[in-house]
Amino acid sequence: MWSGVECDEMTGHVIGLDLGNSFLYGSIDSNSTLFDLLHLQRLNLSNNHFNYSRIPTAIGRLSMLTYLNLASSKFIGQIPSQLSQLSKLSNLYLCNNPLQLKKPDLESLISNFTFLEVLCLSQVDISSTVPKSLANFSSLTHLGLRDCKLKGEFPIIIFQLPNLQLLTVRFNKDLSGRLPPVLNQNNSLKSLLLSGTSFYGEIPFEKLASLRELDAHNCNFSGVIPSLIGKLNQLTSLDLSENNFVGEIPSSLGNLTQLTMLSLFSNHFSGPIPLSFSKLINLETLNLHNNDLRDSVDFDIFVGLKNLSFLDLQENYNLSVIVVNPGINETFPQFKVLGLSNCNLKKIPGFLRHQKRMEALFLSKNHIGGPIPEWLFSISKETLNSLSLYKNSLIGELSHRICNFSSLEFLDISHNKLVGKLPRCLGNFSKSMLRLHLRGNYFSGNIPNFMKGNQLELIDLGYNRFEGNLSKSLSNCKMLGYLNVESNKLNDVFPYWLGTLPELEILVLRAN
């Protein structure tokens, strides 16, 4: 028996061919002996590289196929009409290829697929409305139409399909629609993925009891989240971010102990952060950024959430986060991303010194004051890629230990009261640095030298006390698109040599 080949034990006919992930390269034409396997029922050619060739029209000869998987295999062009002749198909995967479905269109393609259970056309250019005829496929369990340039109103009747388990129409910005007050009668829907569409209205949370994943990010939904949401105890992922929800976050969300991801950012939620969040023991991501949350929250409610690695509470202008370091700091989660900007912090939390895998730390616009503690430069030296301490009234000099962060891509310590000369290593400590914000401090001395091969796209040194000439090492910043050195004490002739920078669009030299 050859690997990937399945034969009928009675007749010896090849009925299955599984060549997925087989490093195949090249094209298949209609003369291939593959299309002589007329008894073939299952064909998997997914995750190969067919060199942007077309799907052969001879595919229509394989009339016994029930399973066809050509996903992620670099096929291109119009899907051939001959494929619609495969009337026994129950599983069809054409997703993640630069294909088109115009002639035939979607409705014509599927018109003969009486037994259709799985239809995956994500990233296929369909550029049409969604046909109502999809609602006739009562066996359909998975419908994948992500990023297909769909438009118009999504047929509400499709939500009534009795066996539908997964529906994704993500990233079709011209596709609108409403959710029905009652979904499919068998309550089978497990994943509903609508992000990046124009779906609107209210979400009937109380009718989604079987749901495990709801992604409504960046839609036009509105209304109040009812306390009944606490009964959706199958949910593992809930994303309602970038919508128009209002009211308080219901404390009943704390009952959803299977949640690993909860994202509510950029809405109009008000009131406090529910203390019941301390019960979300499986939570890995919590994003409440940019709402109108208020009152005080004790950081201790997150201490028991051992899996929490992403926490963002930024830009809630009336929220105060109280951090009292416990006796054993190791009880805090090990964060990858922590956003506490504009949270009325009085000092940099001491538990950060125990963070071993931090990738991004945002503490801007607080009331911290004082010098940057030396221990801060010891956290996550190899992993930290973003650090923001913007607008905190910080004083003192910038320690040379900032150069310990060898993976740093984004550094913003602008609008503080930092003084002295910059560490000489600042121009060459990180080969990955993209954005350097030092604006609005009292830094003095010469601008540091920048090494060849750096990736810097933005440098803002404005409103400081730098003096001398503009460092010619800036010509090494070949990716630089923005350079601002305004309002310093620089003394030089016009830096014509900056004309060699191919990406430079904004150059600010005034007030020197």
Side-chain angles (χ1 to χ4, degrees), residues 249 271-277 286 288 293-294 297 301-302 313 319:
I249 299 173
I273 296 176
L275 298 178
S276 60
F277 280 8
L286 176 60
L288 304 178
L293 299 175
R294 52 189 66 230
V297 58
I301 71 171
F302 306 115
L313 307 180
L319 181 69

Side-chain angles (χ1 to χ4, degrees), residues 175-196:
L175 180 68
S176 62
R178 297 178 67 98
L179 297 181
V182 179
L183 272 76
N184 56 2
Q185 59 188 15
N186 291 343
N187 212 18
S188 60
L189 196 62
K190 301 292 190 295
S191 295
L192 180 58
L193 312 176
L194 307 173
S195 65

Side-chain angles (χ1 to χ4, degrees), residues 186-370:
N186 291 343
N187 212 18
S188 60
L189 196 62
K190 301 292 190 295
S191 295
L192 180 58
L193 312 176
L194 307 173
S195 65
T197 66
S198 297
F199 270 73
Y200 59 97
E202 297 190 357
I203 297 178
F205 291 102
E206 65 277 11
K207 302 300 182 181
L208 302 173
S210 62
L211 215 59
R212 295 176 183 171
E213 182 181 17
L214 174 58
D215 182 2
H217 170 215
N218 191 21
C219 295
N220 292 318
F221 288 113
S222 57
V224 175
I225 299 181
S227 60
L228 285 172
I229 196 172
K231 295 186 177 181
L232 307 186
N233 54 19
Q234 302 292 315
L235 270 181
T236 61
S237 179
L238 177 61
D239 191 346
L240 304 178
S241 51
E242 293 192 285
N243 281 285
N244 297 300
F245 290 106
V246 297
E248 294 191 2
I249 299 173
S251 61
S252 60
L253 276 173
N255 297 333
L256 307 183
T257 54
Q258 300 301 312
L259 275 180
T260 60
M261 196 276 280
L262 175 58
S263 183
L264 305 176
F265 75 84
S266 294
N267 279 283
H268 306 289
F269 291 115
S270 56
I273 296 176
L275 298 178
S276 60
F277 280 8
S278 63
K279 298 189 294 184
L280 300 176
I281 57 175
N282 290 300
L283 203 62
E284 298 172 7
T285 296
L286 176 60
N287 194 340
L288 304 178
H289 185 122
N290 191 27
N291 280 286
D292 191 28
L293 299 175
R294 52 189 66 230
D295 297 338
S296 298
V297 58
D298 193 328
F299 204 85
D300 278 357
I301 71 171
F302 306 115
V303 170
L305 309 183
K306 305 300 185 186
N307 298 310
L308 191 63
S309 62
F310 184 112
L311 175 63
D312 193 344
L313 307 180
Q314 298 180 86
E315 307 307 324
N316 287 282
Y317 292 94
N318 295 298
L319 181 69
S320 296
V321 176
I322 301 171
V323 181
V324 178
N325 295 326
I328 304 176
N329 288 289
E330 288 77 5
T331 58
F332 276 97
Q334 287 293 309
F335 291 105
K336 290 186 177 179
V337 176
L338 180 61
L340 296 177
S341 294
N342 200 22
C343 286
N344 291 305
L345 290 176
K346 305 301 182 185
K347 62 180 180 179
I348 295 178
F351 75 85
L352 292 176
R353 72 177 74 212
H354 298 280
Q355 296 295 311
K356 300 293 192 295
R357 57 175 187 167
M358 185 81 74
E359 295 176 4
L361 176 62
F362 303 99
L363 299 176
S364 58
K365 292 189 287 187
N366 282 294
H367 306 288
I368 292 172

Side-chain angles (χ1 to χ4, degrees), residues 93-207:
Y93 298 86
L94 300 177
C95 38
N96 306 325
N97 286 297
L99 292 164
Q100 293 182 344
L101 190 50
K102 306 291 179 64
K103 293 180 181 180
D105 60 12
L106 176 56
E107 189 164 20
S108 300
L109 176 72
I110 64 176
S111 59
N112 295 323
F113 298 163
T114 310
F115 306 103
L116 195 60
E117 296 177 7
V118 176
L119 178 62
C120 185
L121 299 175
S122 293
Q123 293 190 314
V124 173
D125 181 359
I126 297 175
S127 296
S128 73
T129 57
V130 179
K132 292 182 180 179
S133 59
L134 274 169
N136 298 328
F137 296 91
S138 59
S139 298
L140 199 63
T141 61
H142 289 64
L143 178 58
L145 298 173
R146 172 177 54 86
D147 192 14
C148 291
K149 300 180 181 177
L150 299 172
K151 52 191 176 182
E153 189 90 358
F154 187 84
I156 201 167
I157 192 172
I158 291 176
F159 290 107
Q160 307 300 332
L161 284 168
N163 296 298
L164 193 62
Q165 297 179 24
L166 180 147
L167 171 62
T168 175
V169 290
R170 283 170 164 166
F171 314 134
N172 290 286
K173 62 184 178 63
D174 295 322
L175 180 68
S176 62
R178 297 178 67 98
L179 297 181
V182 179
L183 272 76
N184 56 2
Q185 59 188 15
N186 291 343
N187 212 18
S188 60
L189 196 62
K190 301 292 190 295
S191 295
L192 180 58
L193 312 176
L194 307 173
S195 65
T197 66
S198 297
F199 270 73
Y200 59 97
E202 297 190 357
I203 297 178
F205 291 102
E206 65 277 11
K207 302 300 182 181

